[in-house]
Amino acid sequence: MITVNTHEAKTQLSRLLALVRHGEEVIIARSGKPVARLVPVKQHTVRREPGTDKGKAHVADDFNGPLPEEFQTFFK
């Protein structure tokens, strides 16, 4: 873990981001007191499996049929 002051963080941001990209944690301090932490963003990738929700949805047989009269008035 590296601690830098705000001035150094502003002037060395690219270098600090390179360190973070390689797994380092950077603490940014003001007057010696920590105020922020730079950490790598976790890449959350989920492997999708086709067909895992098969059978969980139902489409009514009259899905494409005309709407009841009371609902048709909303679309005129």
Side-chain angles (χ1 to χ4, degrees):
M1 178 173 37
I2 299 170
T3 301
V4 296
N5 63 39
T6 54
H7 177 70
E8 184 180 356
K10 287 191 288 187
T11 59
Q12 300 292 320
L13 183 59
S14 294
R15 180 181 69 83
L16 296 173
L17 290 176
L19 291 171
V20 169
R21 190 172 33 252
H22 289 96
E24 188 70 48
E25 186 174 300
V26 177
I27 302 295
I28 301 172
R30 179 176 289 142
S31 300
K33 296 180 181 177
V35 293
R37 179 174 59 197
L38 294 176
V39 294
V41 174
K42 293 181 182 177
Q43 298 297 326
H44 183 69
T45 56
V46 177
R47 182 159 172 83
R48 298 192 308 175
E49 193 70 34
T52 55
D53 289 332
K54 186 175 182 177
K56 293 182 179 179
H58 171 72
V59 178
D61 292 334
D62 63 348
F63 175 77
N64 286 330
L67 290 172
E69 254 330 292
E70 63 267 16
F71 292 122
Q72 289 184 22
T73 59
F74 294 119
F75 299 101
K76 291 183 180 179

